[in-house]
Amino acid sequence: MGILTRFTDIMKSNINALLDKCEDPAKMIDQTLRDLREDLAEVKKETANIIADAKSADRQVKECEEEIAKYTTAAQNALKAGNEDDARTLIAKKQQYESNLASYKKTQELTHANADKMRQMHDKLVNDIETLEARRDAIKATVASAKAQEHINKIVSGGDKAKSSMESFERYEKKAEKMLDAATAEAELNAHTSAASNLADKYTSNGNDASVDDELAAMKAKLGL
């Protein structure tokens, strides 16, 4: 009757309060159901044994009372027959059964009290199991929704980071475009400066060519050519 030692704890347990306090109701409800079903199986087994004990005690009480009634009637008949010694013997036997009857009744009372407790535990456990089974799907659906929302929150948070990264990339892209425009402008300026320089060289070189021609003509005249 080990389960009887847990009677008070089981009867005081509040399934709803337990679920409200636990951090992960989905896992807790499955574990609690397993524990309750194990307790219920033990209670059923113990209850069957205690009810058997109670019935046995009932039979002992009934049989003892029948023996007392039998010896009482026999003693009375012995006295009516004028056999006092036999009546005395029968009364002594009756008193032995009366002494045993007190013990049998105590056992009967105890076994019936224990049987009542076991029935109370049985009904409590059955009710708790039904309550949990009724709430299990709803609780698991709520937990699943919560986890889904957490996942979405993470995605949204990650989207903010992606948005921030994209904005940074756009800033870098604009900066690169500006650098390219500056380099292009500088190249155009360099090209313009080079053209002007080439033009100046052209006219400068023409002067040098005239000098060469003059010297060439003088050399030809001297040689009589």
Short mmCIF file of all heavy atoms in Angstrom, two decimals, residues 18 32 79 120 188:
data_model
loop_
_atom_site.label_atom_id
_atom_site.label_comp_id
_atom_site.label_asym_id
_atom_site.label_seq_id
_atom_site.Cartn_x
_atom_site.Cartn_y
_atom_site.Cartn_z
N LEU A 18 -0.12 23.83 -11.51
CA LEU A 18 1.17 23.29 -11.94
C LEU A 18 1.49 23.73 -13.36
O LEU A 18 2.62 24.13 -13.67
CB LEU A 18 1.13 21.76 -11.87
CG LEU A 18 2.38 21.01 -12.32
CD1 LEU A 18 3.55 21.34 -11.40
CD2 LEU A 18 2.13 19.51 -12.32
N THR A 32 3.61 15.09 -17.17
CA THR A 32 2.60 14.97 -16.10
C THR A 32 1.61 13.87 -16.42
O THR A 32 1.20 13.10 -15.54
CB THR A 32 1.87 16.30 -15.92
OG1 THR A 32 2.81 17.34 -15.61
CG2 THR A 32 0.86 16.20 -14.77
N LEU A 79 -28.77 -25.02 28.75
CA LEU A 79 -29.37 -24.63 30.03
C LEU A 79 -30.81 -25.13 30.11
O LEU A 79 -31.27 -25.59 31.19
CB LEU A 79 -29.34 -23.11 30.18
CG LEU A 79 -27.97 -22.49 30.51
CD1 LEU A 79 -28.05 -20.97 30.50
CD2 LEU A 79 -27.47 -22.99 31.87
N GLN A 120 -11.05 7.50 -3.94
CA GLN A 120 -10.91 8.96 -4.08
C GLN A 120 -9.71 9.30 -4.97
O GLN A 120 -9.78 10.17 -5.84
CB GLN A 120 -10.74 9.61 -2.70
CG GLN A 120 -11.98 9.58 -1.84
CD GLN A 120 -11.73 10.20 -0.48
OE1 GLN A 120 -11.07 11.23 -0.35
NE2 GLN A 120 -12.24 9.56 0.56
N GLU A 188 39.41 64.18 -68.44
CA GLU A 188 39.01 65.15 -69.47
C GLU A 188 39.86 66.41 -69.41
O GLU A 188 40.26 66.97 -70.42
CB GLU A 188 37.52 65.48 -69.31
CG GLU A 188 36.61 64.31 -69.67
CD GLU A 188 35.16 64.63 -69.39
OE1 GLU A 188 34.88 65.69 -68.76
OE2 GLU A 188 34.28 63.82 -69.77
#
